[in-house]
Amino acid sequence: MTVVARTPSPSPRGPTPSLAPSPSRGPAAASQEAAEARERTAELLREIRRIEIQTSRLVTQHLAGSYQSVFRGQGIAFAEVRAYEPGDDVRAIDWNVTARTGEPHVKLFTEERELTVMLVVDMSASLDLGSREHDKRHLVARLAATFAFSAIQNNDRVGLIGFTDRVEVFVPPRSGRKHVLAVIQRVLSHVPEHRGTSPAVALEYLSRLHKGHGVAIVISDFVDALGGERSGGGGEGGTEAEEKRLEHALKVAKRRHDVIPIRVEDPLELELPALGLLTVEDLELLDLGGDHVIDLSASQAKRYRGEVEAERRRIDRLMRKLSLPMMSIRCGDDWQKPLVAFFARRNRRLRA
């Protein structure tokens, strides 16, 4: 269940209305509509620029060297042969060239660096929940931008798979700053066409699409990702089926890709306060039909917290079973520290 108290706020998301005068509206209304559309577009561009500045600074100052160490290429490729120098590994001596020239020569190799980084991003309506300065969608955009800018700085390609309960967005992998900015714009501005959250669907799509080695950054709130009663999954049976499907999809993706799961959360959805009768807006799952009054008495709030904790434990247990360390980042917290710590841990593990 994902609900949010009805507190309207300006947002750059949503389709841009047509600037042409509507036949049913007067010139004043059409002019106001056009001005609002321009303001939404300008705010979206400002937000993209803020994200670029913030994440580029993080990449340059903290992650530049770590990225290349943590995400390695597919192997090594022959570069050249040169004369042997003191300190060279004798195992690299090219005996054919040495015999032909009469002087020892060694083979030099370089790592095949080019990687494809796929951002597998939750675009469901539950990301619009935000009880802090920014909602979860803006946090997702910052995380995606950090990995994307790290990738293009190392000449790697970046692609996007955006999902709800099905794949709604696909941006083919490319490199370059303009491409990354376009990806960020899609994350911020996409309006979901369907309800629900299914990372399994996106991972299955990834496995069919990309056969080579790559990196898959899975960013989601994982709200009802395992199905169950609250998302119409048919109770425990639905939960078990969805969990098996997600487990299989992760296993298949893990065989070819370096899978990095990241969970984004808002403090409000983890522990709803006991407020009694409350008017809420259904963001995704309940089929309430707009605003609705629900009972958030102390007993109901306690029940909700129990359901949320049980769902989080199932996700955590699944990731541990598959040896996929998951980052959990909350709106309002310092989101940069967990990323820096993640790169440091991965670097240490690879060097051990």
Side-chain angles (χ1 to χ4, degrees):
M1 177 179 71
T2 302
V3 295
V4 60
R6 186 66 166 168
T7 53
S9 58
S11 170
R13 299 182 61 243
T16 301
S18 171
L19 301 185
S22 172
S24 60
R25 293 174 178 265
S31 177
Q32 181 180 357
E33 192 175 88
E36 291 174 353
R38 286 194 296 270
E39 177 57 30
R40 282 196 297 271
T41 301
E43 175 57 31
L44 175 61
L45 294 175
R46 286 194 294 267
E47 180 63 16
I48 292 172
R49 181 57 180 158
R50 284 193 292 267
I51 291 175
E52 180 188 14
I53 293 172
Q54 193 173 28
T55 55
S56 296
R57 187 182 302 122
L58 173 64
V59 169
T60 302
Q61 294 179 353
H62 298 287
L63 306 182
S66 299
Y67 175 90
Q68 192 166 6
S69 300
V70 168
F71 299 125
R72 300 185 181 277
Q74 302 182 49
I76 58 174
F78 173 74
E80 61 176 329
V81 174
R82 65 159 172 79
Y84 176 86
E85 296 177 357
D88 286 342
D89 190 343
V90 295
R91 292 174 296 182
I93 292 178
D94 187 327
W95 295 107
N96 290 330
V97 177
T98 298
R100 189 166 60 249
T101 61
E103 296 181 356
H105 283 70
V106 293
K107 291 181 179 179
L108 299 182
F109 297 87
T110 58
E111 182 184 6
E112 291 182 337
R113 255 302 323 160
E114 182 175 308
L115 278 176
T116 296
V117 177
M118 291 302 302
L119 302 171
V120 184
V121 174
D122 185 349
M123 290 187 168
S124 61
S126 62
L127 293 189
D128 291 329
L129 175 63
S131 62
R132 298 298 187 265
E133 182 181 359
H134 295 293
D135 57 27
K136 290 188 289 184
R137 192 174 304 277
H138 284 77
L139 177 57
V140 167
R142 281 165 169 77
L143 296 171
T146 300
F147 283 97
F149 280 117
S150 296
I152 65 169
Q153 193 174 79
N154 287 272
N155 298 317
D156 293 337
R157 300 183 303 161
V158 179
L160 172 67
I161 297 174
F163 67 92
T164 53
D165 61 354
R166 63 201 70 188
V167 173
E168 294 195 9
V169 174
F170 172 65
V171 178
R174 290 180 189 151
S175 59
R177 173 179 172 271
K178 288 185 178 179
H179 175 69
V180 170
L181 295 179
V183 166
I184 299 171
Q185 180 177 356
R186 292 298 295 273
V187 173
L188 285 174
S189 62
H190 178 74
V191 179
E193 300 174 2
H194 302 278
R195 304 165 72 85
T197 303
S198 179
V201 168
L203 291 166
E204 290 164 356
Y205 184 86
L206 172 66
S207 296
R208 293 194 300 269
L209 176 77
H210 189 65
K211 301 299 184 182
H213 173 71
V215 178
I217 312 296
V218 184
I219 310 176
S220 175
D221 58 11
F222 293 95
V223 169
D224 284 273
L226 301 181
E229 292 179 348
R230 289 179 293 146
S231 60
E236 290 300 321
T239 299
E240 184 178 351
E242 282 299 312
E243 185 168 348
K244 287 183 177 179
R245 183 182 184 183
L246 178 57
E247 179 178 353
H248 181 262
L250 284 166
K251 283 181 177 177
V252 173
K254 189 182 173 185
R255 291 186 197 129
R256 298 194 184 104
H257 310 292
D258 194 351
V259 179
I260 312 296
I262 304 176
R263 176 168 53 201
V264 295
E265 301 173 310
D266 188 277
L268 182 63
E269 67 188 344
L270 300 178
E271 188 169 351
L272 284 176
L275 298 175
L277 295 178
L278 185 68
T279 301
V280 298
E281 178 188 1
D282 175 20
L283 290 183
E284 187 171 319
L285 296 167
L286 299 180
D287 292 320
L288 298 177
D291 291 353
H292 194 78
V293 177
I294 64 171
D295 179 14
L296 269 184
S297 61
S299 60
Q300 291 294 333
K302 182 179 179 180
R303 177 186 173 189
Y304 173 84
R305 289 194 296 271
E307 291 181 354
V308 169
E309 275 304 311
E311 184 177 60
R312 293 180 83 254
R313 284 195 299 270
R314 289 199 301 271
I315 291 289
D316 290 341
R317 186 169 57 244
L318 175 59
M319 296 303 174
R320 286 195 301 269
K321 179 180 178 181
L322 299 177
S323 299
L324 291 173
M326 173 183 275
M327 279 186 282
S328 291
I329 303 177
R330 295 186 183 182
C331 294
D333 290 350
D334 185 346
W335 59 272
Q336 298 186 9
K337 285 184 178 179
L339 282 183
V340 174
F342 160 77
F343 277 96
R345 283 195 305 271
R346 293 266 306 208
N347 215 350
R348 287 195 299 269
R349 191 163 71 244
L350 290 172
R351 289 179 178 179

